[in-house]
Amino acid sequence: MKKLILDSLGKSKHRGSNFRNLLYNNEARAFFFQVITFVLVVGLFYTAIGNLFQNIEARGIQTGFSFLNNRAGFDILPFLGNIVVDYTPESSNLTVFYVGLVNTLVVAFIGIILSTLIGLLIGIARLSNNYLIAKLAGGYIELFRNIPILLQILFWYNLFINVFPHPKQSLAFFDIAFLNQRGLYLPKPIPEDGFIFVALAFIIGIIAAYFIRKFFKKKHELTGTHTSTWMFTLGLIVGLPVLIYFLIGSPLQFDYAVLGKFNLSGGMAVVPEFLALTFALSVYTATYIAEAIRSGIEAVDKGQKEAAAAIGLSPVQSLKLIVLPQALRVAIPPTINQYLNLTKNSSLATVIGYPELMSTFGGTVLNQVGQAVEILAMAMLVYLVISLFISLLLNYVNKKMEIQGR
Amino acid sequence: MSVFDQQSTRKPPISQIGAVLWLRTNLFSSWINSALTIASLYLLYIMIPPLLDWMIFNASFSFGTVNLFGFDIKFSEAMATNQNCGREGACWPYIYEKLYMYTYGFYPRTETWRPNIVFGLTALLFVIVPLLKHYKHKNRVTLSLIILYPLASYVLIAGGFGVLMPVSTDQWGGLLLTLIIASVGIIVSFPIGVLLALGRQSNLKVIKLFSTLFIEFIRAVPLITILFMASFVLPLFLESGNYFDKLLRALIGIALFQAAYFAEVVRGGLQAIPRGQYEAADAIGLSYFQKNILIILPQALKISIPNIVGSSISLFKDTTLVLIIGLFDMLAMVNLTSNDPYWLGRETEGFVFVTIVMWAILYTMSRYSRKLELRFNTENTN
């Protein structure tokens, strides 16, 4: 290409034709188009950012991230975020960011667990040979996936506030949990000294169970004798912590909520905003997960099941060893994508005032400070990081489940 | 030789025919299935009757006298008020009175015929396009419709041009606004999406990099952050003094957002085209644009049609988010109209009404996408 350019500019006899050669040369064209795109995009950014600085100066908006150290000065609905981060109105705007982040992660975490459970249940029910169950599951999917999620969040929140009773007439479950329009009141666990050992036993139990399983799996591969390990697993993960709990002398107390004259006191309140949001997100996302699981199971060829039966596997073995590993390969990637969607959709909580990232930091702080560029950039960065994390997870899972070719 | 009378065949047992057989195989095939059946029947029993009670049997239908297509239909003496509507069941007179708001927002009542024509045109479009299936010039007609329909709709709804009374965008609302945002979003973002998809598949490194960055960035963040960007930051990017309509800002945000999703859908289609098609197009000497417009895109777009419809459904659902930046779409009307002192506290009716309308539209769209999927699915599955 260098030669072509030199030729076309040089004192050659065929100067014109050389120039035409350059014009019709693929490499030269590619280079030319890329330069044009680059100049256009960079030019656009340059102008936009230039205007941005001008406008910011003209309107007297501050720039930079110093606002993060300023006093926030507003109340945030008390929930896990406030407790974890220890928030008061005297805290800084950066603390608000952390509160929002924690609350976003909490709702995403619980939502992911719930939606997976509901999705699994509905996805399997959809394929049930029971006519009524299959139709009900199908109806559930068609109903909830065709209603915008924002409408669902608003609807459940409205229902919660308008339909559930006043604190005075709370629905009580054996005086342990109370449900009213202010939320769900649960006993608050208070760990005492020594509870750490129970937690430690639980972790040790998981690790030990993992190695025992590995050992017997290896034995199975080497000798062919199969040992069932679920008793070890149960004993180590559940039995060991329970044993230690009673040996130390029950180092866990509960603070129960008590129904007072006008309100409930004590206990641990789960705010209605959180309940409505988690419920709506789980119910909505579960429809997609159910469809993913159904298509995963349906994607397994009928011949696979028949072959499994032919070599003498029991129905349970066939499901566990043949069908599920293949079904999950199809079902898991879209499910993980739905986890990302759920996390992104949790930002809609801003309409009901659940204190997550976009309603506290991207909402109240933005209105107070007015530095939209910085605040939105920070909020977007959080979602970018979450999304990147989920893509990495997805790549890892895909790699792990890749069909091993010969 | 003895003669045997032919005996008539015995009837199959009652458990092996008709409804009983169906019940046995589909509902009561094992004790687990029987238990599940009874449990789900109980679930239906505790959910459906209260719902019907609320929506129909305990609900108030006292609309007063309704003029329907020139006939006066008398529901009750006078229209119910919020007080005598009762709280046991739904108060549908509230919906009836606010129906105008839910459909047109603050659109001037004297000009209602204009959006009505647009609604009619939209319905007509859905009737005409399938009828054109076997018409010779169907591509040309469809293309001109795609260009003419938005233009005609814009002129009718926005007015101006010295003929029609201009109606500013902050008066647009309700279902009208929802449909406008959805259709503009789809029509504008689709070409951008195709270009982005081609860019991402391109051999040119710089173009590929920019397209990939744009697509991945947009897909990683929630729509609400994009909408906030569009409504707070976009005006700052422009030279000062440029007034920017709130609706237009939201539309730009939504179109860019949707373009990234369309791009991924189209890329899926592009990747499904065998390499041979690209090489054949190169071999007969087509240029890049000829190759894509004549050979690759027609095939790629065709196989991505079901996913394009699916993505459009998501966009339609996402239009509700504009209420967060202060536009009055159909969902925003619920809070607005139930804050009316006369109809205080009727949010539930509003939400149920909007749910029914939205669900009907989205369900129709999803059925259509399913139909397309089946039509384009040539793979043999068992």
Side-chain angles (χ1 to χ4, degrees):
Chain A
M1 189 178 143
K2 206 171 187 176
K3 187 173 169 285
L4 261 169
I5 296 176
L6 288 177
D7 272 1
S8 72
L9 297 175
K11 281 181 192 164
S12 166
K13 257 195 285 181
H14 309 289
R15 195 172 162 177
S17 83
N18 275 338
F19 185 71
R20 196 173 295 142
N21 278 351
L22 184 68
L23 201 63
Y24 283 101
N25 181 281
N26 264 339
E27 267 181 61
R29 274 196 163 195
F31 182 72
F32 176 66
F33 278 123
Q34 298 193 58
V35 167
I36 287 189
T37 321
F38 188 77
V39 167
L40 278 179
V41 172
V42 170
L44 193 72
F45 265 88
Y46 184 76
T47 330
I49 289 176
N51 286 337
L52 180 71
F53 279 116
Q54 246 172 22
N55 284 325
I56 281 177
E57 212 166 297
R59 295 187 195 189
I61 310 175
Q62 279 198 330
T63 48
F65 288 92
S66 57
F67 72 92
L68 286 174
N69 301 321
N70 295 354
R71 178 178 170 273
F74 60 94
D75 273 316
I76 297 183
L77 193 75
F79 197 60
L80 271 175
N82 304 35
I83 299 165
V84 173
V85 180
D86 196 20
Y87 176 84
T88 59
E90 299 303 316
S91 306
S92 67
N93 283 328
L94 187 64
T95 323
V96 179
F97 175 76
Y98 291 137
V99 172
L101 184 61
V102 170
N103 282 334
T104 296
L105 293 179
V106 166
V107 81
F109 182 71
I110 309 251
I112 284 171
I113 293 175
L114 276 179
S115 63
T116 313
L117 289 178
I118 305 175
L120 261 173
L121 198 74
I122 300 290
I124 293 168
R126 186 94 173 76
L127 292 171
S128 161
N129 53 6
N130 186 319
Y131 179 82
L132 201 59
I133 294 278
K135 285 288 160 202
L136 271 180
Y140 170 90
I141 293 174
E142 289 296 353
L143 178 65
F144 285 107
R145 85 185 290 178
N146 286 324
I147 302 174
I149 175 67
L150 187 64
L151 176 49
Q152 293 192 36
I153 293 173
L154 283 169
F155 181 81
W156 294 120
Y157 183 59
N158 163 62
L159 209 65
F160 212 109
I161 295 195
N162 288 340
V163 173
F164 282 8
H166 284 278
K168 195 104 181 58
Q169 291 103 26
S170 300
L171 301 167
F173 304 100
F174 306 108
D175 279 352
I176 295 172
F178 298 89
L179 190 64
N180 59 46
Q181 55 177 217
R182 301 241 177 110
L184 178 67
Y185 287 76
L186 295 172
K188 187 177 181 180
I190 305 168
E192 294 173 357
D193 323 333
F195 187 73
I196 184 92
F197 292 109
V198 180
L200 220 60
F202 180 67
I203 295 168
I204 291 173
I206 290 177
I207 297 171
Y210 172 76
F211 279 109
I212 286 179
R213 261 186 88 117
K214 211 171 162 183
F215 172 74
F216 281 113
K217 201 176 171 194
K218 193 143 199 182
K219 188 182 158 202
H220 175 84
E221 277 166 9
L222 288 174
T223 63
T225 33
H226 182 74
T227 324
S228 137
T229 53
W230 67 267
M231 286 209 303
F232 291 107
T233 313
L234 197 72
L236 280 170
I237 295 179
V238 181
L240 193 65
V242 170
L243 190 73
I244 290 191
Y245 177 79
F246 284 113
L247 277 181
I248 295 179
S250 317
L252 186 66
Q253 296 287 317
F254 285 101
D255 173 23
Y256 293 97
V258 182
L259 191 58
K261 207 161 191 182
F262 299 106
N263 206 347
L264 285 152
S265 57
M268 185 174 63
V270 186
V271 289
E273 287 81 5
F274 175 78
L275 294 175
L277 179 69
T278 324
F279 186 74
L281 284 175
S282 318
V283 160
Y284 178 76
T285 315
T287 63
Y288 290 89
I289 295 179
E291 284 293 272
I293 283 167
R294 180 183 67 100
S295 67
I297 294 176
E298 278 183 341
V300 179
D301 200 286
K302 218 160 104 191
Q304 295 283 325
K305 262 177 258 174
E306 290 167 356
I311 59 168
L313 295 184
S314 73
V316 176
Q317 280 178 322
S318 152
L319 188 74
K320 198 175 130 193
L321 300 171
I322 310 293
V323 178
L324 270 187
Q326 299 186 63
L328 288 183
R329 182 176 297 137
V330 179
I332 284 185
T335 305
I336 293 180
N337 263 331
Q338 287 309 318
Y339 293 162
L340 176 61
N341 277 348
L342 188 145
T343 314
K344 287 197 284 178
N345 282 336
S346 74
S347 60
L348 298 181
T350 166
V351 290
I352 56 170
Y354 171 71
E356 53 74 68
L357 193 63
M358 281 309 282
S359 64
T360 51
F361 190 66
T364 320
V365 174
L366 177 63
N367 285 335
Q368 282 190 357
V369 180
Q371 290 181 246
V373 184
E374 289 91 341
I375 289 174
L376 287 176
M378 277 176 81
M380 281 175 154
L381 196 68
V382 168
Y383 289 104
L384 272 174
V385 169
I386 294 175
S387 151
L388 198 69
F389 174 73
I390 287 182
S391 321
L392 286 179
L393 183 72
L394 194 63
N395 282 346
Y396 171 76
V397 169
N398 278 340
K399 195 146 201 166
K400 189 116 191 176
M401 296 220 274
E402 204 171 32
I403 298 174
Q404 301 288 327
R406 268 165 294 184
Chain B
M1 210 175 104
S2 57
V3 177
F4 295 100
D5 283 337
Q6 192 183 0
Q7 284 184 337
S8 60
T9 48
R10 263 200 293 168
K11 275 190 181 153
I14 186 88
S15 66
Q16 295 300 316
I17 47 164
V20 180
L21 173 70
W22 187 89
L23 282 175
R24 277 182 69 121
T25 49
N26 288 313
L27 294 181
F28 300 101
S29 59
S30 64
W31 67 269
I32 295 182
N33 257 340
S34 311
L36 284 175
T37 306
I38 290 164
S40 37
L41 280 176
Y42 178 71
L43 194 70
L44 286 178
Y45 170 73
I46 57 169
M47 283 169 57
I48 302 294
L51 192 68
L52 286 182
D53 275 348
W54 186 81
M55 280 183 73
I56 297 167
F57 300 119
N58 288 340
S60 161
F61 288 93
S62 316
F63 297 131
T65 310
V66 178
N67 188 311
L68 203 65
F69 304 115
F71 296 101
D72 279 343
I73 301 171
K74 196 172 174 189
F75 281 92
S76 63
E77 280 305 325
M79 190 153 138
T81 62
N82 202 14
Q83 274 69 42
N84 62 27
C85 226
R87 295 275 163 184
E88 295 303 303
C91 180
W92 298 125
Y94 150 72
I95 297 290
Y96 174 68
E97 195 188 284
K98 298 292 179 188
L99 200 57
Y100 187 89
M101 293 279 276
Y102 277 112
T103 326
Y104 310 101
F106 307 103
Y107 211 82
R109 298 210 175 210
T110 48
E111 304 290 316
T112 324
W113 58 273
R114 284 154 51 180
N116 280 343
I117 291 182
V118 173
F119 285 145
L121 278 178
T122 315
L124 205 65
L125 207 66
F126 280 101
V127 177
I128 286 179
V129 172
L131 284 180
L132 287 173
K133 215 173 187 176
H134 301 295
Y135 183 57
K136 205 166 48 178
H137 302 295
K138 72 164 182 187
N139 286 343
R140 234 172 279 174
V141 177
T142 317
L143 200 68
S144 48
L145 279 178
I146 287 175
I147 295 166
L148 278 179
Y149 162 71
L151 278 180
S153 309
Y154 177 76
V155 171
L156 273 169
I157 291 176
F161 302 100
V163 189
L164 295 164
M165 187 181 112
V167 180
S168 68
T169 55
D170 48 359
Q171 286 172 296
W172 307 2
L175 184 62
L176 178 69
L177 188 69
T178 302
L179 291 177
I180 288 173
I181 295 173
S183 46
V184 172
I186 292 169
I187 293 171
V188 174
S189 65
F190 188 66
I192 307 176
V194 172
L195 285 180
L196 280 171
L198 287 176
R200 199 173 177 176
Q201 292 293 92
S202 160
N203 296 323
L204 311 180
K205 293 265 160 51
V206 174
I207 295 178
K208 184 173 177 161
L209 178 75
F210 282 137
S211 311
T212 312
L213 276 181
F214 179 83
I215 294 171
E216 290 304 323
F217 173 72
I218 297 271
R219 279 163 48 89
V221 297
L223 175 56
I224 169 173
T225 57
I226 307 269
L227 282 177
F228 274 22
M229 267 287 189
S231 77
F232 295 128
V233 182
L234 190 65
L236 296 178
F237 280 145
L238 302 165
E239 268 178 53
S240 50
N242 279 355
Y243 174 70
F244 231 98
D245 187 277
K246 199 197 254 174
L247 176 64
L248 188 59
R249 279 181 283 177
L251 283 176
I252 291 174
I254 285 182
L256 289 181
F257 180 78
Q258 186 60 20
Y261 283 83
F262 273 147
E264 282 302 273
V265 166
V266 174
R267 185 169 76 111
L270 287 174
Q271 280 175 335
I273 307 297
R275 275 232 66 79
Q277 296 287 328
Y278 290 88
E279 287 160 4
D282 285 336
I284 57 171
L286 297 182
S287 76
Y288 177 79
F289 287 103
Q290 284 174 323
K291 178 173 74 179
N292 276 308
I293 288 167
L294 297 174
I295 311 288
I296 306 300
L297 278 181
Q299 301 182 65
L301 291 184
K302 190 181 163 192
I303 46 178
S304 26
I305 284 177
N307 288 333
I308 290 171
V309 178
S311 198
S312 309
I313 293 175
S314 306
L315 172 66
F316 196 91
K317 285 193 244 177
D318 285 340
T319 56
T320 48
L321 264 67
V322 294
L323 82 88
I324 298 174
I325 56 167
L327 290 171
F328 290 104
D329 75 327
M330 203 177 177
L331 186 52
M333 284 300 163
V334 176
N335 271 327
L336 199 72
T337 54
S338 59
N339 279 343
D340 177 349
Y342 190 76
W343 290 110
L344 217 52
R346 293 291 175 187
E347 290 98 345
T348 313
E349 280 86 345
F351 283 126
V352 170
F353 174 69
V354 176
T355 303
I356 293 172
V357 174
M358 281 283 191
W359 185 84
I361 296 173
L362 285 162
Y363 182 70
T364 320
M365 282 169 86
S366 78
R367 290 262 72 150
Y368 182 63
S369 124
R370 182 94 195 102
K371 215 174 94 186
L372 287 175
E373 219 167 291
L374 287 177
R375 198 200 292 168
F376 291 116
N377 184 10
T378 47
E379 211 176 306
N380 287 316
T381 47
N382 45 357

